[in-house]
């Protein structure tokens, strides 16, 4: 047999690698430790992608180090991400797509995070409905989930779904990939943790929590519905004593799997659907989930009557994040633009805020967009000398208010009534 034509031991095709690259290219992400960008690979795909396929199909593929990067979380905190190289992301996408075909039919209907055709709005909607039928919620927070996933247990959970050797082989190698710190120092990965930022990390996290939590919960507490988005978990329970029992059992289960709940962030919440008329002495009557705050609030019924209901709206933390992003953009200094150019630059971001946070109780965006309009008025004040000469932003606000009446659709939030 000609050794150069010997078949590869693993069933990975060049087409899979090319399709994976196209999906990675759509994200437009930053390069890894090798400095190779998406544009570099596009210029000569055969040079860069052929070795990826050849090594994946032959079993000789080893990932490069993961570049560590910190991104702000808000309130002075940072989230540490691990950024693989573009070629490693392509390789991970190949295995991720293969894994998704295996895992999707088996995953729980209560799992929503990082899955095809499922999103955060669906999780929030299900939580909203369950809060109307169940009086108590367990708001869970797993301490350092991604940093504490045990590698041995992770591979055991992976074997629950598949026995394909190449998937297990490369999952092990990605879990063990070294990490490059900001100063360039390389550290070897330990026996636990998977860096956030990898293409395969979300599906591995879903696999792990499906075995550790979802399946276990559905077997042991089938009368307690839940919503899980990655490691954000909400459990619905009928009464307080039962809620404490479920919380204790979940805590023990996580300890068995080398995880633990954060005692400061995990809490029992009473879903007060009747305003202040009942159980007003209970301290915790609201919780945050996926950027929304669930609490008792006045709602309008279909026949125009007011009633109390336990419903989601944008959280204060999310609203502060929008305000901070407006401040960091500094668009009030973009005086080289006219208002139409400014609208074109800002509209994608504003539409994103409206689309995500306006899905439920859109009026909750009032505070954030009030600040946005103030920034727009400040831009007008800096842009036009006639406002500067008067040394007050008041007349800039009047001009912006009139502009919003004449051009209601100029900025996306104006058409929803959030005008200056």
């Amino acid at each position: 047999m000609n050794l150069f034509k010997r078949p590869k031991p693993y069933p990975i095709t060049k087409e899979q690698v090319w399709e994976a690259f196209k999906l990675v290219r759509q994200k437009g992400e930053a390069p890894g430790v090798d400095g190779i960008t998406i544009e570099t690979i596009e210029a000569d795909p055969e040079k860069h992608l052929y070795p990826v396929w050849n090594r994946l199909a032959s079993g000789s593929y080893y990932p490069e180090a993961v570049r560590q990067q910190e991104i702000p979380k808000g309130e002075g905190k940072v989230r540490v991400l691990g950024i693989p190289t573009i070629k490693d992301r392509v390789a991970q996408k190949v295995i991720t797509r293969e894994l998704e075909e295996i895992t999707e039919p088996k995953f729980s209907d209560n799992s929503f995070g990082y899955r095809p055709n499922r999103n955060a709005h669906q999780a929030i909607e299900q939580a909203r409905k369950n809060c109307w039928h169940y009086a108590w919620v367990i708001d869970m927070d797993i301490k350092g989930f991604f940093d504490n996933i045990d590698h041995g247990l992770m591979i055991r959970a992976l074997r629950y779904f598949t026995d394909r050797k190449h998937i297990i082989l490369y999952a092990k190698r990605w879990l063990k990939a070294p990490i490059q710190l900001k100063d360039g120092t390389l550290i070897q990965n330990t026996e636990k943790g998977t860096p956030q930022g990898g293409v395969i990390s979300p599906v591995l996290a879903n696999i792990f929590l499906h075995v550790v939590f979802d399946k276990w919960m559905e077997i042991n507490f089938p009368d307690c519905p839940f919503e899980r988005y990655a490691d954000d978990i909400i459990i619905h329970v009928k009464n307080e004593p039962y809620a404490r029992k479920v919380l204790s059992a979940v805590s023990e289960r996580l300890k068995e799997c080398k995880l633990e709940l954060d005692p400061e962030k995990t809490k029992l919440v009473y879903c007060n659907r009747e305003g202040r008329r009942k159980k007003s002495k209970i301290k915790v009557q609201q919780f945050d989930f996926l950027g929304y705050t669930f609490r008792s609030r006045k709602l309008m019924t279909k026949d125009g009557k007011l009633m109390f209901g336990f419903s989601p709206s944008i959280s204060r933390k999310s609203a502060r994040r929008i305000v901070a992003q407006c401040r960091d953009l500094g668009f009030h200094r973009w005086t080289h633009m006219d208002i139409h150019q400014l609208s074109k630059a800002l509209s994608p971001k504003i539409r994103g805020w409206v689309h995500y946070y306006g899905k439920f109780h859109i009026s909750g965006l009032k505070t954030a967009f009030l600040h946005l309009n103030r920034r727009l008025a400040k831009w007008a004040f800096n842009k036009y000398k006639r406002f500067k000469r008067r040394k007050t932003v008041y007349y800039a606000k009047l001009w912006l208010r009139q502009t919003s009446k004449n051009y209601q659709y100029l900025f996306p939030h104006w058409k929803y009534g959030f005008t200056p």
Side-chain angles (χ1 to χ4, degrees), residues 220-258:
N220 291 275
F221 297 100
D223 55 339
C224 297
F226 64 90
E227 295 81 38
R228 183 177 67 78
Y229 193 97
D231 60 327
D232 289 335
I233 304 172
I234 300 296
I235 305 173
H236 302 270
V237 190
K238 285 288 186 183
N239 56 64
E240 185 178 6
Y242 194 37
R244 296 190 182 281
K245 177 184 175 181
V246 173
L247 178 58
S248 177
V250 170
S251 180
E252 288 301 316
R253 170 63 176 174
L254 292 178
K255 285 179 182 177
E256 291 172 3
C257 301
K258 302 184 181 181

Side-chain angles (χ1 to χ4, degrees), residues 394 396-406 414 419-420:
Y394 172 75
K397 289 179 180 178
L398 290 181
W399 173 83
L400 192 68
R401 186 175 300 159
Q402 187 59 46
T403 302
S404 70
K405 292 178 181 178
N406 296 336
W414 285 0
T419 53

Side-chain angles (χ1 to χ4, degrees), residues 112-363:
F112 296 90
Y114 307 109
R115 294 180 57 190
N117 304 315
R118 298 177 79 81
N119 57 50
H121 283 161
Q122 292 171 330
I124 295 165
E125 174 63 21
Q126 181 171 301
R128 186 185 70 85
K129 290 178 179 178
N130 282 329
C131 285
W132 280 76
H133 296 98
Y134 293 82
W136 288 84
V137 154
I138 303 172
D139 181 11
M140 287 175 47
D141 186 278
I142 301 175
K143 187 184 291 185
F145 171 68
F146 284 92
D147 296 331
N148 292 304
I149 294 178
D150 182 81
H151 290 176
L153 293 177
M154 179 70 253
I155 298 303
R156 282 178 60 185
L158 186 58
R159 290 185 190 277
Y160 173 82
F161 285 92
T162 182
D163 58 358
R164 296 183 188 179
K165 292 182 179 179
H166 63 289
I167 292 180
I168 295 169
L169 173 69
Y170 293 133
K172 287 179 179 178
R173 291 180 184 176
W174 281 314
L175 289 172
K176 300 292 183 184
I179 299 171
Q180 185 186 78
L181 303 181
K182 290 175 67 176
D183 61 3
T185 305
L186 281 179
I187 59 171
Q188 195 63 38
N189 207 343
T190 59
E191 295 299 317
K192 64 179 183 178
T194 176
Q196 289 178 264
V199 173
I200 202 169
S201 295
V203 71
L204 289 181
N206 275 336
I207 287 170
F208 190 79
L209 282 174
H210 175 84
V211 176
V212 169
F213 179 80
D214 298 358
K215 197 70 178 176
W216 177 87
M217 191 74 187
E218 289 168 356
I219 292 172
N220 291 275
F221 297 100
D223 55 339
C224 297
F226 64 90
E227 295 81 38
R228 183 177 67 78
Y229 193 97
D231 60 327
D232 289 335
I233 304 172
I234 300 296
I235 305 173
H236 302 270
V237 190
K238 285 288 186 183
N239 56 64
E240 185 178 6
Y242 194 37
R244 296 190 182 281
K245 177 184 175 181
V246 173
L247 178 58
S248 177
V250 170
S251 180
E252 288 301 316
R253 170 63 176 174
L254 292 178
K255 285 179 182 177
E256 291 172 3
C257 301
K258 302 184 181 181
L259 295 172
E260 63 176 316
L261 294 175
D262 188 327
E264 294 182 359
K265 297 180 180 179
T266 299
K267 56 184 179 290
L268 299 183
V269 182
Y270 175 64
C271 301
N272 187 353
R273 299 175 294 257
E274 300 179 5
R276 300 180 179 178
R277 290 177 292 173
K278 189 177 180 182
K279 296 198 174 183
S280 59
K281 293 182 179 179
I282 297 174
K283 291 183 179 179
V284 184
Q285 298 189 38
Q286 67 179 42
F287 65 90
D288 287 359
F289 183 52
L290 301 178
Y292 279 78
T293 293
F294 286 71
R295 66 172 177 83
S296 180
R297 56 181 92 241
K298 289 181 180 179
L299 304 174
M300 185 76 71
T301 62
K302 291 181 180 180
D303 56 357
K305 295 181 180 179
L306 284 175
M307 62 172 288
F308 277 103
F310 204 81
S311 182
S313 182
I314 183 174
S315 68
R316 288 185 180 180
K317 186 176 179 180
S318 298
R320 286 197 297 267
R321 189 178 293 121
I322 292 175
V323 170
Q325 288 180 23
C326 291
R327 182 177 62 247
D328 294 342
L329 282 172
F331 59 82
H332 61 283
R333 301 189 191 94
W334 298 354
T335 52
H336 60 286
M337 296 182 176
D338 63 32
I339 195 165
H340 296 283
Q341 292 170 324
L342 185 66
S343 169
K344 188 176 180 180
L346 294 179
S347 288
K349 191 171 284 290
I350 298 172
R351 273 194 295 269
W353 292 332
V354 173
H355 171 74
Y356 186 77
Y357 295 111
K359 178 72 173 178
F360 305 92
H361 211 263
I362 192 171
S363 61

